[in-house]
Amino acid sequence: MNALAPSLDLAPALVVLPGPRAAAADAVKAAAIRAPDARDLFEHGPVLVAHAAMTAKRLGLNMPPRGPGLFDALELYAFVRPARFCAPSAVGLALALGLPEPKGAAEQAASLRTSALHLLRELADTPEPSREEALAIGETLARAGWAWGAAVVGALRSAPVGNQFRSSGLDVWARVSEWEDQAPPGEAGSKPILPEEATRRLAELLQRAGLDEARPAQAEFAAETAYAFLPREREGEPRMMLAEAGTGVGKTLGYLAPASLWAEANGPSVWVSTYTRALQRQIERESHAIYPDPKIRAKKAVVRKGRENYLCLLNFQDQANTAQLGGADLIGMGLTARWARATRDGDMTGGDFPAWLPTLFGIAPAAQASPANLVDRRGECIHAGCVHYRTCFVEKAIRGSRRADIVIANHALVLTQAAFDGARAARGSKADGETTQLKRIVFDEGHHLFDAADNAFAAALSGAEAAELRRWIRGPEGRGRRGRGLEARLSDVIGDREDALRALQDATHAAAALPGEGWSGRIAPPNGEVNPIGPIEGFLVAVIEQLRARAAPSEVGMECAARPALDLVRDTARTAAAGLAKVEAPLLALARHLEDILDDEAADLATGDRARIEGALRGLDRRARMTLPAWRSMLRAIDEDSEDDPDFVDWFDATFLYGRVVDAACRRHWVDPTEPLTNAVIAPAHGVLVTSATLADSTLDDPFALAEMRTGAARLPDRPKTLRLASPFDYASNARACVVTDVSKDDARQVAAAMRELFLAAGGGGVGLFTAIRRLRAVHERIAAPLSDKGLALYAQHVDPLEVGALVDIFRAEQDACLLGTDAVRDGVDVPGRSLRLLVFDRVPWPRPDILHKARRVRFGGKNYDDSVARNRISQAFGRLIRRADDKGVFVMLDAAAPTRLFSGLPQGVEIQRVGLVEAIEATAAFLAPPSD
């Protein structure tokens, strides 16, 4: 064993819990140590940790650089088990490896050593994908000074190994499988799916999944939702259904039953759209019952996201080359190369890429092996001109979705792509081909559809967006920046066509008027001496002037109505619009020239050149025919100081970071975004199912009236079919809910004390939900150490150096941990079992009364609209508590003024009790006490 890991003999394991409360373990014993000793061990090493940055933060230290004596077990896990899930903590490692869950800092420290040795043994026995390939990367990382280098190479050389690889091993693009194009699948058919067929298919799926429990509500759901898979009778009038299915009904398999039948009978696909990445993967996992064979499932059930989510192999190659020259994180790139060879589909955001990997050490953002640097966020893809086009993960996903039975997408992709394809089709241009398949759509988490449409059909002219447009046209202008401007992407395709070259040059020249390097420091410098360059920066300076004159700053920024505008704003809006027109005109001319090339040279144009031109045209259409006209329209309305359009809301806002302005924007949103939603997505479809656990509103005479309005159903000629199925769970026995009447929600000390005592009474497993980041941080500061003293780890969004998904993963893995978060946690937590047993709101989650919400409140029903938003948020949060029939949970609201009417959406059997804090604590402890043996 020691031969595999000689360095571990010198590296005691260190675990630091909040407080800080620390423990260290060597080969002989594990024991608690004082915080100063933990800092000394961490800083001087050698030491073994799980998540170096989190450990440093808890010790009050800066994020550490990598060093030869700092062994992070998570990096070892990423090397040994690429693309396999692990919650980023000592407990998460133990559970991922099938070891017992360690309790407390000392047990976790001892377990950390066990986990590291387990991983090294596994690497020695069964390296993936081959010993030779793993060794090539391992030796590269060892030469780069990786702390694990010697141990990894030793483990790999503990068995005979060839010398197949003569490279660094980073050239994974040479070993990624290619995609194969196929003939178009054709139009979908119209064979109906009958209710009895759907229930039979559901029974088959349950049997395959090993679920023999009889759920009548699930069978009813499958039978009734078959309605959305009947042929439509008139254009523009889809078979639309709104279906509320309470937690535990089993709606995912319930709608997958008729959906899979329809796809098999009619093809090419049913699109299932959801709101969160986590639910996309959950739906894909449930599709295992339909397609048990992994190879078949990979073709039949495809997870589809926007291209900004997938690893770009050209970006990876650029960054890998830079890393080998010392300009980027070589070790991070090596670990990412390991992942790229094992990944299911190249998805770096919510897929199987370990999101915690770039966060472990202090590495400059531009040097990280992170999604920010390795996906195509800037629309710079050169399509068939790329040497990796045939192995491109995005192209694989697009082609896979065209032939899949079930495409599992998200609302943002579906809506933005449908809007884009619809706009192109209206001009007679070729659509991308994916949303033309949107004949049958299931919108899961349908209560988010309104907000998703709001984001998809909005426009924003900000410093960051305008600077991004400049970069897309001109390419990176700072030294050492990677990327490709239009000229680099198109010049060789255009060749010597003078008109097209002139348009390209004119666009590049005009884009110099857009914000460039350092724009934020010029429009809002700390010393107040503004120095705008170009018309857009000048306009943003004027916007900030109006904001300072009319808006009250909050902790995150400020906002004000766009009209009536200051004279300075109107003047600069006119100049900015003229500057944008000078960018738009040559881009449109370039697009026309490229379209002419496709037309005039159709017989001779190489396939690769055609693909590159079509890719460029998609980017030009988005910017020159959608974004720039929308920006100019907003500016023109401000210049003319015209009457407000009743269909839109225009406003200015500024974003703060550490108390100073870092960006400003002019924004336009639909008051009712279901109008473009209906036109672009709902009406063209043949069948639409919108489902959620919280879709109806019992306080209304017609419980589905608000849902009809917020999903676009109210805009169709006929009312949708509706279905409402209650949860089968016994909430009266398994849940308790109370409003605490004697805690002041505005006193952070009282809120902190209440949460601390409630978390302790539950023995952990608690989530605290906040409506403001400032209050979350204040409570975390007060309760982290006391909870740690009692053996309860506390994690917090906006405090810990991890994105929210990783925090939820840790919380799920550690049964007695606690978590603080905002609405992202409320919407993203899916934690069945005892790990989540207490939910505490710091106050009623009323909608923020911003300019946009005020306009919608006037349109949609005044205070009743406010109530409906808050009621839905409370119901959604409560639904996270009880995920299985044997779950038990307590819901607490620390807001004595919370109106009783807001709790009417809670499941039948749940009664709100108004009690004092002491009574709430006692009731929580008694109700959640673990059963005695």
Side-chain angles (χ1 to χ4, degrees), residues 461 514 536 575-585 628 631-632 635:
L461 170 55
L514 299 170
I536 307 302
T575 306
L580 293 177
K582 291 178 180 177
V583 178
E584 182 181 332
L628 282 166
W631 287 357
R632 288 196 301 104
L635 293 171

Side-chain angles (χ1 to χ4, degrees), residues 538-607:
F539 170 67
L540 295 176
V541 168
V543 164
I544 293 171
E545 284 293 310
Q546 180 162 322
L547 284 163
R548 286 175 171 153
R550 298 179 182 172
S554 70
E555 61 181 297
V556 294
M558 50 186 172
E559 65 173 27
C560 72
R563 290 183 293 277
L566 298 177
D567 289 343
L568 177 62
V569 171
R570 293 177 58 195
D571 292 343
T572 54
R574 188 179 314 122
T575 306
L580 293 177
K582 291 178 180 177
V583 178
E584 182 181 332
L587 289 179
L588 288 172
L590 177 60
R592 288 191 292 269
H593 291 309
L594 292 175
E595 289 165 345
D596 289 343
I597 293 172
L598 287 178
D599 187 19
D600 297 341
E601 302 181 21
D604 304 315
L605 200 62
T607 301

Side-chain angles (χ1 to χ4, degrees), residues 604-742:
D604 304 315
L605 200 62
T607 301
D609 288 346
R610 174 176 293 277
R612 291 179 66 182
I613 292 173
E614 288 178 345
L617 282 171
R618 286 193 290 271
L620 288 165
D621 270 358
R622 285 189 187 277
R623 292 161 179 84
R625 289 173 171 148
M626 295 179 71
T627 299
L628 282 166
W631 287 357
R632 288 196 301 104
S633 176
M634 289 191 294
L635 293 171
R636 183 171 59 251
I638 293 166
D639 174 24
E640 296 172 354
D641 220 12
S642 55
E643 290 292 323
D644 290 342
D645 186 325
D647 289 331
F648 295 97
V649 182
D650 293 352
W651 78 95
F652 298 148
D653 69 16
T655 306
F656 289 1
L657 184 63
Y658 302 119
R660 78 176 192 90
V661 175
V662 292
D663 199 2
C666 173
R667 302 186 185 276
R668 168 171 285 184
H669 284 235
W670 286 82
V671 175
D672 184 357
T674 64
E675 181 173 337
L677 167 66
T678 303
N679 294 336
V681 182
I682 304 296
H686 289 219
V688 180
L689 169 63
V690 181
T691 185
S692 168
T694 55
L695 206 56
D697 190 332
S698 299
T699 66
L700 303 176
D701 293 336
D702 179 354
F704 282 95
L706 189 62
E708 288 185 37
M709 181 278 294
R710 290 178 65 85
T711 60
R715 295 182 175 276
L716 298 176
D718 296 324
R719 293 199 65 185
K721 181 176 181 179
T722 59
L723 174 69
R724 195 174 190 190
L725 297 172
S727 169
F729 295 155
D730 183 1
Y731 287 98
S733 300
N734 291 355
R736 296 291 182 269
C738 66
V739 175
V740 174
T741 58
D742 55 357

Side-chain angles (χ1 to χ4, degrees), residues 3-20:
L4 295 181
S7 54
L8 288 182
D9 291 339
L10 304 175
L14 172 67
V15 166
V16 181
L17 300 180

Side-chain angles (χ1 to χ4, degrees), residues 760-821:
L760 290 172
V767 168
L769 293 174
F770 295 79
T771 57
I773 297 171
R774 172 179 47 83
R775 292 197 297 272
L776 181 156
R777 288 173 172 157
V779 168
H780 177 271
E781 184 178 349
R782 287 178 168 87
I783 71 174
L787 290 179
S788 183
D789 284 341
K790 300 295 185 179
L792 303 183
L794 179 67
Y795 300 92
Q797 184 190 10
H798 304 294
V799 175
D800 291 318
L802 283 169
E803 52 91 31
V804 67
L807 289 173
V808 172
D809 288 341
I810 295 174
F811 175 74
R812 184 185 294 110
E814 301 181 17
Q815 189 177 92
D816 297 331
C818 296
L819 175 63
L820 306 181

Side-chain angles (χ1 to χ4, degrees), residues 285-314:
R285 285 194 295 272
E286 296 217 30
S287 73
H288 293 197
I290 312 174
Y291 315 111
D293 186 315
K295 292 182 179 179
I296 294 175
R297 186 169 62 252
K299 295 179 179 180
K300 295 288 189 179
V302 173
V303 174
R304 181 73 176 91
K305 300 181 180 180
R307 65 172 52 245
E308 68 278 1
N309 293 279
Y310 297 93
L311 174 69
C312 168
L313 290 170
L314 187 57

Side-chain angles (χ1 to χ4, degrees), residues 29-89:
K29 65 175 183 177
I33 60 174
R34 298 183 313 123
D37 296 330
R39 291 189 190 97
D40 184 66
L41 176 59
F42 184 81
E43 289 186 295
H44 300 105
V47 64
L48 170 65
V49 297
H51 209 295
M54 179 84 83
T55 305
K57 185 172 183 65
R58 287 178 172 171
L59 291 172
L61 303 172
N62 293 328
M63 187 178 290
R66 280 199 189 86
L70 185 52
F71 297 81
D72 196 315
L74 290 169
E75 285 197 325
L76 179 61
Y77 185 92
F79 188 96
V80 178
R81 291 190 170 190
R84 292 167 68 178
F85 174 78
C86 175
S89 67

